[in-house]
Amino acid sequence: MNPANLPFDSEAMLEGLRSWVECESPTWDANAVNRMLDIAARDMAIMGATIERIAGRQGFGGVIRARFPHPKQGEPGILIAGHMDTVHPVGTIEKLKWRREGNKCYGPGIYDMKGGNYLSLEAIRQLARAAFTTPLPITVLFTPDEEVGTPSTRDLIEAEAARNKYVLVPEPGRADNGVTTGRYAIARFNLEATGRPSHAGARLSAGRSAIREMARQILAIDAMTTDDCTFSVGVVHGGQWVNCVATTATGEALSMAKRQADLDRGVERMLALSGTTNDVTFKVTRGVTRPVWEPDAGTMALYEKARGIAKSLGTELPHASSGGGSDGNFTGAMGIPTLDGLGVRGGNGHTLEEFIEVDSLVERGRLMAGLLATLE
């Protein structure tokens, strides 16, 4: 089976993808994510998959597990793992409207990662239409919480990965048309400052501002960044009345490192910030963590398979480890051959200018089809 001969059509793929992108699905809106999962479940049911809905927990949406018909159903095969949540609140579609400009197409979540998820299903669809039976059975797992560190579904992802031989992750492709063969370690932290209230007009000096302490600590956290381990604060909330000295302020911080040992040291430094100064208590607690994924022989053999397919399609396929976490962190760290970054090319993810390169839908769709058709 030559994937170059499969009749992928970028315009038809865009038409199908549009309904996915215009169904906004921010992580924190479980109902919105579930609406998106409903659309994907229906599409896969039409393709002949057996659909299993797994209820969400911790306030997140649910999970869809789809198994496609195969004579070896139940044996270890290929897991395609993707997330359907995005960082864009409902209503973003009014600011980031679906629009096509030459080889670029814009929309919330189109790049991270609905485009990659959609082309993966199109690859399965094209193989089925060609009456081609893949050597291994295929399972698709779509999850609702990757953008916040996968707190509610990590166990499901790891359990499903353990039942399979390979994991393919259609997160966005690299700018150089490359794929991802490793991911940096990431830790999240919850920050809380607790001060002493007072009337900001009448008795300002009697108060102890939690906001002031949070601001001081944010600067200290940012200053901890080195080449080996980065630190940033991305969420801050504080105060309730402008005429009151703030009693509480909360925040969330992120740390990322290429090596697990560097992240472990970073975690120690963050936790050491906890304490009380000038009657204000600052507390750091550890949130969800993604382990470092360093490529092993199994992952590199999987990459070489993909590189050979890409070469047969007339393209180069470089690889590298990447910052920014994905659920590939978990499966790769488990030692299961994992290839990430198999999704679309594009850019400006997590912004109001998020786009994909339209021609990458077909190119990456053929690459995915080639992997599904040859992995054994």
Side-chain angles (χ1 to χ4, degrees):
M1 197 286 301
N2 184 351
N5 295 331
L6 294 173
F8 283 89
D9 184 323
S10 60
E11 299 305 318
M13 293 174 74
L14 276 180
E15 183 178 350
L17 178 58
R18 180 169 185 170
S19 65
W20 286 31
V21 172
E22 292 185 336
C23 182
E24 298 175 281
S25 51
T27 312
W28 296 116
D29 189 332
N31 290 332
V33 175
N34 285 336
R35 286 193 293 270
M36 179 62 245
L37 292 171
D38 287 342
I39 294 174
R42 188 176 192 278
D43 286 350
M44 291 189 288
I46 291 172
M47 294 166 62
T50 299
I51 307 297
E52 182 181 359
R53 297 297 296 259
I54 303 169
R57 61 174 184 164
Q58 301 175 15
F60 296 103
V63 174
I64 288 177
R65 179 164 52 202
R67 302 194 194 280
F68 288 84
H70 196 277
K72 296 181 180 179
Q73 191 68 59
E75 297 182 16
I78 301 169
L79 173 64
I80 297 175
H83 67 88
M84 283 298 188
D85 60 314
T86 78
V87 301
H88 301 285
V90 170
T92 301
I93 195 68
E94 298 304 317
K95 302 174 183 177
L96 178 52
K97 292 182 182 295
W98 173 277
R99 72 184 192 275
R100 169 84 177 270
E101 294 179 0
N103 191 42
K104 292 183 178 180
C105 189
Y106 295 79
I110 192 170
Y111 174 64
D112 185 10
M113 63 177 292
K114 292 183 180 180
N117 290 339
Y118 191 86
L119 71 82
S120 299
L121 298 195
E122 183 64 17
I124 299 170
R125 187 181 291 115
Q126 289 290 341
L127 291 169
R129 287 175 178 170
F132 183 87
T133 300
T134 58
L136 296 175
I138 300 168
T139 299
V140 173
L141 193 72
F142 286 145
T143 54
D145 60 347
E146 189 274 346
E147 293 293 1
V148 295
T150 320
S152 75
T153 58
R154 175 177 177 174
D155 54 352
L156 280 171
I157 293 165
E158 291 180 337
E160 194 59 43
R163 299 184 186 105
N164 287 276
K165 295 181 67 174
Y166 305 99
V167 177
L168 305 180
V169 185
E171 286 275 5
R174 298 174 62 84
D176 60 358
N177 194 49
V179 290
T180 297
T181 50
R183 291 273 186 183
Y184 303 164
I186 296 177
R188 296 175 184 241
F189 303 90
N190 300 310
L191 316 175
E192 182 179 9
T194 304
R196 187 170 71 208
S198 71
H199 191 294
R203 302 186 69 244
L204 178 62
S205 62
R208 297 293 182 266
S209 173
I211 290 177
R212 179 186 177 94
E213 179 64 13
M214 180 64 72
R216 187 180 74 83
Q217 294 285 4
I218 289 171
L219 294 177
I221 290 168
D222 281 353
M224 287 162 51
T225 292
T226 66
D227 290 339
D228 295 325
C229 192
T230 63
F231 299 85
S232 62
V233 176
V235 177
V236 178
H237 301 285
Q240 187 174 14
W241 305 97
V242 72
N243 58 348
C244 295
V245 172
T247 307
T248 61
T250 59
E252 295 178 41
L254 185 77
S255 181
M256 183 172 67
K258 296 180 181 180
R259 293 175 293 273
Q260 190 68 46
D262 293 328
L263 186 74
D264 292 342
R265 284 190 289 271
V267 169
E268 290 179 6
R269 295 182 68 188
M270 283 293 297
L271 296 179
L273 295 175
S274 295
T276 300
T277 303
N278 193 27
D279 295 331
V280 181
T281 298
F282 188 71
K283 183 179 181 181
V284 181
T285 55
R286 187 170 179 174
V288 294
T289 302
R290 293 191 188 276
V292 68
W293 163 33
E294 296 181 358
D296 57 15
T299 285
M300 291 312 298
L302 177 55
Y303 162 70
E304 289 297 335
K305 169 74 76 171
R307 189 166 78 96
I309 294 167
K311 188 173 183 179
S312 73
L313 294 170
T315 60
E316 295 298 320
L317 192 72
H319 75 99
S321 291
S322 297
S326 89
D327 292 330
N329 281 76
F330 304 134
T331 64
M334 292 171 68
I336 299 168
T338 298
L339 193 58
D340 199 343
L342 286 165
V344 288
R345 294 189 306 276
N348 298 337
H350 294 196
T351 77
L352 293 178
E353 290 297 321
E354 183 169 336
F355 73 92
I356 65 168
E357 296 176 13
V358 174
D359 57 8
S360 69
L361 285 169
V362 169
E363 292 174 17
R364 287 306 182 99
R366 288 200 167 111
L367 175 61
M368 179 66 75
L371 282 167
L372 298 176
T374 57
L375 288 175
E376 56 186 14

PDB file of all heavy atoms in Angstrom, residues 336-353:
ATOM      1  N   ILE A 336       7.164   2.950  26.200  1.00  0.00           N
ATOM      2  CA  ILE A 336       6.400   2.495  25.040  1.00  0.00           C
ATOM      3  C   ILE A 336       6.818   3.339  23.840  1.00  0.00           C
ATOM      4  O   ILE A 336       6.825   4.575  23.927  1.00  0.00           O
ATOM      5  CB  ILE A 336       4.892   2.640  25.299  1.00  0.00           C
ATOM      6  CG1 ILE A 336       4.490   1.781  26.494  1.00  0.00           C
ATOM      7  CG2 ILE A 336       4.079   2.243  24.072  1.00  0.00           C
ATOM      8  CD1 ILE A 336       3.103   2.048  27.013  1.00  0.00           C
ATOM      9  N   PRO A 337       7.197   2.721  22.723  1.00  0.00           N
ATOM     10  CA  PRO A 337       7.595   3.502  21.554  1.00  0.00           C
ATOM     11  C   PRO A 337       6.525   4.538  21.208  1.00  0.00           C
ATOM     12  O   PRO A 337       5.369   4.195  20.947  1.00  0.00           O
ATOM     13  CB  PRO A 337       7.744   2.454  20.459  1.00  0.00           C
ATOM     14  CG  PRO A 337       8.104   1.206  21.199  1.00  0.00           C
ATOM     15  CD  PRO A 337       7.312   1.275  22.479  1.00  0.00           C
ATOM     16  N   THR A 338       6.920   5.812  21.240  1.00  0.00           N
ATOM     17  CA  THR A 338       5.984   6.925  21.079  1.00  0.00           C
ATOM     18  C   THR A 338       6.549   7.903  20.067  1.00  0.00           C
ATOM     19  O   THR A 338       7.732   8.244  20.118  1.00  0.00           O
ATOM     20  CB  THR A 338       5.762   7.638  22.427  1.00  0.00           C
ATOM     21  OG1 THR A 338       5.188   6.720  23.375  1.00  0.00           O
ATOM     22  CG2 THR A 338       4.848   8.837  22.287  1.00  0.00           C
ATOM     23  N   LEU A 339       5.701   8.356  19.170  1.00  0.00           N
ATOM     24  CA  LEU A 339       6.092   9.396  18.219  1.00  0.00           C
ATOM     25  C   LEU A 339       5.072  10.522  18.316  1.00  0.00           C
ATOM     26  O   LEU A 339       3.869  10.314  18.154  1.00  0.00           O
ATOM     27  CB  LEU A 339       6.149   8.847  16.795  1.00  0.00           C
ATOM     28  CG  LEU A 339       6.850   9.742  15.760  1.00  0.00           C
ATOM     29  CD1 LEU A 339       8.290  10.040  16.180  1.00  0.00           C
ATOM     30  CD2 LEU A 339       6.840   9.086  14.380  1.00  0.00           C
ATOM     31  N   ASP A 340       5.577  11.721  18.607  1.00  0.00           N
ATOM     32  CA  ASP A 340       4.754  12.891  18.883  1.00  0.00           C
ATOM     33  C   ASP A 340       4.958  13.909  17.750  1.00  0.00           C
ATOM     34  O   ASP A 340       5.849  13.759  16.916  1.00  0.00           O
ATOM     35  CB  ASP A 340       5.183  13.470  20.232  1.00  0.00           C
ATOM     36  CG  ASP A 340       4.161  14.381  20.873  1.00  0.00           C
ATOM     37  OD1 ASP A 340       3.248  14.850  20.175  1.00  0.00           O
ATOM     38  OD2 ASP A 340       4.299  14.639  22.086  1.00  0.00           O
ATOM     39  N   GLY A 341       4.143  14.941  17.752  1.00  0.00           N
ATOM     40  CA  GLY A 341       4.287  15.982  16.736  1.00  0.00           C
ATOM     41  C   GLY A 341       3.913  15.515  15.351  1.00  0.00           C
ATOM     42  O   GLY A 341       4.440  16.027  14.352  1.00  0.00           O
ATOM     43  N   LEU A 342       2.981  14.570  15.254  1.00  0.00           N
ATOM     44  CA  LEU A 342       2.560  14.030  13.955  1.00  0.00           C
ATOM     45  C   LEU A 342       1.422  14.830  13.337  1.00  0.00           C
ATOM     46  O   LEU A 342       0.915  14.463  12.286  1.00  0.00           O
ATOM     47  CB  LEU A 342       2.129  12.569  14.105  1.00  0.00           C
ATOM     48  CG  LEU A 342       3.269  11.571  14.298  1.00  0.00           C
ATOM     49  CD1 LEU A 342       2.728  10.237  14.811  1.00  0.00           C
ATOM     50  CD2 LEU A 342       4.023  11.366  12.982  1.00  0.00           C
ATOM     51  N   GLY A 343       1.028  15.920  13.993  1.00  0.00           N
ATOM     52  CA  GLY A 343      -0.087  16.711  13.501  1.00  0.00           C
ATOM     53  C   GLY A 343       0.325  17.735  12.464  1.00  0.00           C
ATOM     54  O   GLY A 343       1.387  17.654  11.844  1.00  0.00           O
ATOM     55  N   VAL A 344      -0.524  18.720  12.298  1.00  0.00           N
ATOM     56  CA  VAL A 344      -0.358  19.722  11.244  1.00  0.00           C
ATOM     57  C   VAL A 344       0.802  20.670  11.529  1.00  0.00           C
ATOM     58  O   VAL A 344       1.209  20.864  12.670  1.00  0.00           O
ATOM     59  CB  VAL A 344      -1.646  20.559  11.092  1.00  0.00           C
ATOM     60  CG1 VAL A 344      -2.752  19.756  10.445  1.00  0.00           C
ATOM     61  CG2 VAL A 344      -2.110  21.086  12.452  1.00  0.00           C
ATOM     62  N   ARG A 345       1.306  21.273  10.473  1.00  0.00           N
ATOM     63  CA  ARG A 345       2.186  22.423  10.615  1.00  0.00           C
ATOM     64  C   ARG A 345       1.314  23.676  10.728  1.00  0.00           C
ATOM     65  O   ARG A 345       0.189  23.719  10.247  1.00  0.00           O
ATOM     66  CB  ARG A 345       3.130  22.561   9.425  1.00  0.00           C
ATOM     67  CG  ARG A 345       4.131  21.439   9.281  1.00  0.00           C
ATOM     68  CD  ARG A 345       5.161  21.781   8.211  1.00  0.00           C
ATOM     69  NE  ARG A 345       4.523  22.122   6.951  1.00  0.00           N
ATOM     70  CZ  ARG A 345       4.123  21.241   6.035  1.00  0.00           C
ATOM     71  NH1 ARG A 345       4.286  19.942   6.266  1.00  0.00           N
ATOM     72  NH2 ARG A 345       3.557  21.637   4.914  1.00  0.00           N
ATOM     73  N   GLY A 346       1.874  24.688  11.351  1.00  0.00           N
ATOM     74  CA  GLY A 346       1.141  25.939  11.508  1.00  0.00           C
ATOM     75  C   GLY A 346       1.871  26.804  12.503  1.00  0.00           C
ATOM     76  O   GLY A 346       3.093  26.767  12.606  1.00  0.00           O
ATOM     77  N   GLY A 347       1.106  27.599  13.258  1.00  0.00           N
ATOM     78  CA  GLY A 347       1.765  28.457  14.221  1.00  0.00           C
ATOM     79  C   GLY A 347       0.802  29.257  15.070  1.00  0.00           C
ATOM     80  O   GLY A 347      -0.419  29.172  14.929  1.00  0.00           O
ATOM     81  N   ASN A 348       1.398  30.060  15.961  1.00  0.00           N
ATOM     82  CA  ASN A 348       0.667  30.969  16.849  1.00  0.00           C
ATOM     83  C   ASN A 348      -0.344  30.248  17.731  1.00  0.00           C
ATOM     84  O   ASN A 348      -1.426  30.762  18.013  1.00  0.00           O
ATOM     85  CB  ASN A 348      -0.024  32.088  16.057  1.00  0.00           C
ATOM     86  CG  ASN A 348       0.949  32.972  15.312  1.00  0.00           C
ATOM     87  OD1 ASN A 348       2.119  33.050  15.671  1.00  0.00           O
ATOM     88  ND2 ASN A 348       0.483  33.626  14.268  1.00  0.00           N
ATOM     89  N   GLY A 349       0.011  29.025  18.155  1.00  0.00           N
ATOM     90  CA  GLY A 349      -0.867  28.298  19.056  1.00  0.00           C
ATOM     91  C   GLY A 349      -1.126  29.073  20.335  1.00  0.00           C
ATOM     92  O   GLY A 349      -0.284  29.850  20.795  1.00  0.00           O
ATOM     93  N   HIS A 350      -2.316  28.926  20.888  1.00  0.00           N
ATOM     94  CA  HIS A 350      -2.724  29.575  22.133  1.00  0.00           C
ATOM     95  C   HIS A 350      -2.866  31.086  21.982  1.00  0.00           C
ATOM     96  O   HIS A 350      -2.845  31.816  22.977  1.00  0.00           O
ATOM     97  CB  HIS A 350      -1.744  29.271  23.269  1.00  0.00           C
ATOM     98  CG  HIS A 350      -1.706  27.827  23.678  1.00  0.00           C
ATOM     99  ND1 HIS A 350      -1.141  27.402  24.865  1.00  0.00           N
ATOM    100  CD2 HIS A 350      -2.170  26.702  23.086  1.00  0.00           C
ATOM    101  CE1 HIS A 350      -1.251  26.092  24.970  1.00  0.00           C
ATOM    102  NE2 HIS A 350      -1.870  25.639  23.886  1.00  0.00           N
ATOM    103  N   THR A 351      -3.006  31.585  20.755  1.00  0.00           N
ATOM    104  CA  THR A 351      -3.193  33.021  20.537  1.00  0.00           C
ATOM    105  C   THR A 351      -4.399  33.243  19.635  1.00  0.00           C
ATOM    106  O   THR A 351      -5.006  32.295  19.120  1.00  0.00           O
ATOM    107  CB  THR A 351      -1.965  33.664  19.865  1.00  0.00           C
ATOM    108  OG1 THR A 351      -1.959  33.333  18.460  1.00  0.00           O
ATOM    109  CG2 THR A 351      -0.667  33.195  20.502  1.00  0.00           C
ATOM    110  N   LEU A 352      -4.726  34.514  19.406  1.00  0.00           N
ATOM    111  CA  LEU A 352      -5.842  34.858  18.532  1.00  0.00           C
ATOM    112  C   LEU A 352      -5.437  34.897  17.062  1.00  0.00           C
ATOM    113  O   LEU A 352      -6.188  35.390  16.226  1.00  0.00           O
ATOM    114  CB  LEU A 352      -6.441  36.206  18.952  1.00  0.00           C
ATOM    115  CG  LEU A 352      -7.130  36.205  20.320  1.00  0.00           C
ATOM    116  CD1 LEU A 352      -7.653  37.597  20.665  1.00  0.00           C
ATOM    117  CD2 LEU A 352      -8.262  35.183  20.359  1.00  0.00           C
ATOM    118  N   GLU A 353      -4.245  34.361  16.766  1.00  0.00           N
ATOM    119  CA  GLU A 353      -3.809  34.229  15.375  1.00  0.00           C
ATOM    120  C   GLU A 353      -3.414  32.782  15.081  1.00  0.00           C
ATOM    121  O   GLU A 353      -2.565  32.512  14.227  1.00  0.00           O
ATOM    122  CB  GLU A 353      -2.642  35.176  15.077  1.00  0.00           C
ATOM    123  CG  GLU A 353      -3.041  36.648  15.046  1.00  0.00           C
ATOM    124  CD  GLU A 353      -4.043  36.952  13.927  1.00  0.00           C
ATOM    125  OE1 GLU A 353      -3.901  36.379  12.822  1.00  0.00           O
ATOM    126  OE2 GLU A 353      -4.967  37.755  14.164  1.00  0.00           O
TER     127      GLU A 353
END
